Amino acid sequence: MTPEGGEAVAKAPGGPRRTAVGLILAFVFYAAVAVVLTWPLAIHGGSHYFSPETPGDGVANIANTWYAGYAGEKGLSGQKPTIYAYPFGYDLTGVPVYPLSSGLENQVARLLGPQGAYSLMLLLSFPMAGAAMFALVFYLTRSFPASFAGGFLYAFSPWHTSRTFDQLSLTAVYTLPLFVLAMLVFYRRKDLVSAAGVALAAVIAFYTDLHFGLFCAAMAVIFAASAGLVRLRRRRPRTGRRVSRRRTALLVAAVILVVALAVMPFLKWPFGKRSRAVATQSRETVAEAGMFSADPWNYVIPPAHSLSWSWFTDEFVGKRLGARTSNEVTDYPGLVTYALAAVALVLLVRRVRRRADIESEVDSPWTADGRSSELLLYFCTLSAVSAFILSLPPTFHIGAAEIPAPSYLVLKLVPYFRYFCRWALVFVFVVCLLAGLGLAMLIRGRSCSRRASWSIALVLLALFCLDVTIIPPLRSHDVRQPPATLEALAGYPASEPVAIYPLAQGNEYATLHFRYFQQFHEHPMLNGVEPGTEDDLYRLALKDIYSPYTPSMLAGLGIKKVAVLDSYYRSREFGNNPTGVPFDPALMPRGYELVEETSDGYIYDVVAAPAAVYPLYDQNLSPPSILDDGRAWTAMLRPQAAIRLENRGPASSYAMDLVVADPDGQGELKVELDGKPLTAVRFGSGSWHLQLPPVELSHGRHNLSLQWSGPPVDVYGKQFRLEGTVPVYLLLGEPQLRVDD
């Protein structure tokens, strides 16, 4: 048989029944190891969460699943629910709902609840990944020990295990070996059934996560290029049944058409308005993509929390995370995996050089035939190298010059896929595949007995576990108990919208936790506004709970209650409060009325008169940040800046107050309203209370421009969520407006 012939591949040892039994036993073993690794998640799936780190995206995933059930139960509809991000709503049109990940999770949640569904799918991701790789390696090698080892290396690779900490849809890594297996079968058979298998595998990948679909599409292109390269290098008469090139081309075209039609509904996410909006933010997008790209060290440093290396890796990885979580920098497949992959490459190169015939060495044509070995060599090498390159930042610097990398083109065409570190999965997949091939060729080349083969495989897997397993493996813990304050909030009418402080950004840990705990109190909440939107400007204006004008603005938005979680104020871990300043109830202004104090916070009624005008930090102003005095300040980053005044009520005369702090020196501050001079005031260093003369504000938007003549002061930008050192001209805080009687 040749790679392009039509004969059946060599039969598996013991026949199809034994192969099926082996696959089932491997699945069961992988599942058992997953249960041990995540224990006691399997028996407490409805309340436990598996992660050695603070949960983030995972609890948001559970919150989304809860909302899907809640919306169905309450008869809610629409693409902009206001159960969170109240009263603005959160636009769900850009939130992917994949039928085979989040869609399936929503269905399972009907039986097990949101958290139970999440836990079950997480646990199943291990045996499914292992079984898919087992099937792929077995198809290529007909070796049970090698297939078992290859499946284990892939299922429990650090890339996959670390993704289970937070990102459920990305744990379905079984899609890659399933798709490659389908391609190999089609390459052998080139018939309608095998073509349908490729189409089905591709649709499964896209329906699980668009990233998997992208990776499979890229590997399909590389596979086709590799097959073409082999054909060019090895022109020889074919043996066996001749397959029409035209028929093959038609089958390939049919597969592409079917897959394209099947995934068309999902293209609104990578090519929709949100993706286009991201593309217009050129510098910000490149910076974000660079932050969430891989570094070469990601591939050679063991993961954080590893059994043998945590004394080194925890500190090393922690210092280099930045805004990332550890799973975004975990691309290390393990020393054993690398070693076996290297063996495979060496032996494949040798076979390609001598153009081994079908009769040589083993009974699997894929590891014996020279042409097949050459195809595997090209495909695996090109896939790994391409994935490695695409996982790196979109630009690099040579001196002062910024040079675009290949991933820059992807960023410009489809910014949706700007988290380039995820390409490392393809690299890990290929290395694990090569590891399985390497072990098969190694033990067969040495004519090892069955017992010796299994002994070698098990010893290598034990070394692999020592190298990469998280420490300790018992990392499942109970997260269902809400803070006492939110538990108490459930005792008040759910019709009363609430703002939970600290009012962190919509994608920060604190807000993701607040959304998770919403299932216990069911109050609509201000928290969860999408970052970077017009609505988020309101959240920024409301960040300072102590500001005298905040209660009025909250009341104007329909917020009836404020819940303060003191532990979240104190913790820097949640990213909302760089200084870790604790909450001080003595600083609360008029407009709040304390109704309950709990062991970890406070609940207030909002009793202030509703505001109509909202001062929103707009141009050349940093996001407000809580500084050492416990108050929110925004930094003026240019000599000219602007505050937007949104009048949501009728026209009226307003007086405005603003606290201004000059970090150093002195100068003149000129203020204009809608282009008309309003006042000019000279300041020295220190803090000043600026009172502006009454102005007439009609309904709608107005622009309050500020121009400062004094020098800037260079400050550490992190306290304002900015990178590096930034120039600060003035600090602004506590804006408030009142009707001028």
Side-chain angles (χ1 to χ4, degrees), residues 389-402:
I389 293 173
L390 286 171
S391 72
L392 299 177
T395 61
F396 60 95
H397 292 83
I398 299 179
E402 186 177 58

Side-chain angles (χ1 to χ4, degrees), residues 52 304-308 310 314 469-475:
H305 320 294
S306 64
L307 183 64
S308 302
S310 60
D314 285 6
T469 302
I470 62 170
I471 178 170
L474 309 177
R475 288 290 189 169

Side-chain angles (χ1 to χ4, degrees), residues 660-673:
V660 180
D662 179 11
D664 189 26
Q666 59 181 0
E668 184 180 49
L669 178 64
K670 294 182 179 179
V671 183
E672 295 182 352
L673 180 66

Side-chain angles (χ1 to χ4, degrees), residues 2 6 195 249 266 286 301 311-312 354 365 487 502 548 589 607 613 630:
T2 66
F266 300 99
V286 170
I301 299 297
W311 58 271
F312 162 67
R354 70 172 181 262
E487 198 169 24
V607 296
V613 181

